[in-house]
Amino acid sequence: NVEGRGGHPNPGSTEGTIPAWNPIDPRLKSSDRQEYITNLDLLIEHGSTPPGPNPTFSMLAWGDDSLLSAQQIADVIAYLIQLNP
């Protein structure tokens, strides 16, 4: 949802739910701002499939599939950082 809360069911995934963006996975965060931005950019650009035998939902590759422009991706990154300073 708009606040980035997770917890929605994702049958077939190891965790069983869609991950949250707020709070964001600590493995994506970094005290180095550029590294943090790069981590978010890579995820948004290339997408992600959660671990598990057959997850129902995966994150789309918003950049690779040209679903968002470079500016829109930058806007999403800025929003995520605002949620997770």
Side-chain angles (χ1 to χ4, degrees), residues 1-79:
N1 64 26
V2 75
E3 288 114 15
R5 304 277 185 228
H8 301 285
N10 191 4
S13 69
T14 301
E15 293 181 4
T17 60
I18 295 173
W21 286 96
N22 181 21
I24 200 162
D25 185 326
R27 293 172 292 183
L28 294 172
K29 290 185 86 171
S30 174
S31 58
D32 179 315
R33 186 171 177 83
Q34 189 56 52
E35 182 178 348
Y36 186 20
I37 290 168
T38 299
N39 291 343
L40 294 174
D41 182 61
L42 288 171
L43 181 62
I44 294 166
E45 290 277 347
H46 306 298
S48 175
T49 300
N54 190 23
T56 301
F57 301 105
S58 295
M59 184 172 160
L60 298 172
W62 296 99
D64 292 347
D65 296 337
S66 300
L67 299 170
L68 293 179
S69 69
Q71 182 58 59
Q72 289 170 317
I73 290 171
D75 292 344
V76 170
I77 290 169
Y79 181 68

